[in-house]
Amino acid sequence: MSASTERGIPRIPGVRHADHVGLTVPDLEDAVAFFVQALGAEELYRSTRGPDAEFMPENFAVPKDARLTLAMLRMPPNLNVELFEWDTSDRRTEHPRHSDAGGHHLCFVVDDVDEAVAVLRGIPGVRVLGDRKEVAGDSPRVAGNRWTYFLTPWGLLMEIVDRSRVADPPPLVGPADWPTAAPENTRKDR
């Protein structure tokens, strides 16, 4: 436990929900094509910024010569994914491993992991990591959960999961939990 955890961390006021996840990719066109074609994303818009010797270091913690192009995608029904392609003098190209600080992955629920894996194995450049796995009795709350990891053609670690066989799943938020209208106190027309 760190010192800050022992002392407590103040709650940020007004946090409502996650808006998007941002990921840096080596080639924006290739990444957008993968998300749109393989995962069914919708491209919402693109934007560029930089270089700007004052703005970029101050607001993105990147070198002053950095420039970016981004694409915002919607993964129906609820996830926005912002893909960045950066150009800078000291850009690193190595991906963190899952076990490294900064390691990460993006997971999608699928109806049938075996069917999804079969399609993934046919996509050029995709590397499926092992065979489909199933959680056993060592994790009773999610026993029956079926999953596998894969690497995209540019090296992003992703996971697919099928929770349809889990008898008593933990309260994971999903489409059935989303309100159909904004609560009265969050409406912006007041």
Side-chain angles (χ1 to χ4, degrees), residues 10 24 51 67 69 123 138 140 146 152 188:
T24 297
R67 20 174 207 260
T69 304
I123 298 174
D138 59 330
R146 295 161 32 110
T152 64
K188 297 192 186 251

Side-chain angles (χ1 to χ4, degrees), residues 70-99:
L70 69 84
M72 182 65 82
L73 309 176
R74 165 115 353 104
M75 299 293 306
N78 69 321
L79 176 64
N80 297 316
V81 176
E82 188 175 29
L83 299 177
F84 289 88
E85 182 178 339
W86 289 89
D87 181 23
T88 183
S89 59
D90 68 347
R91 180 176 162 195
R92 291 178 279 196
T93 59
E94 308 81 31
H95 293 279
R97 296 172 302 171
H98 208 34
S99 57

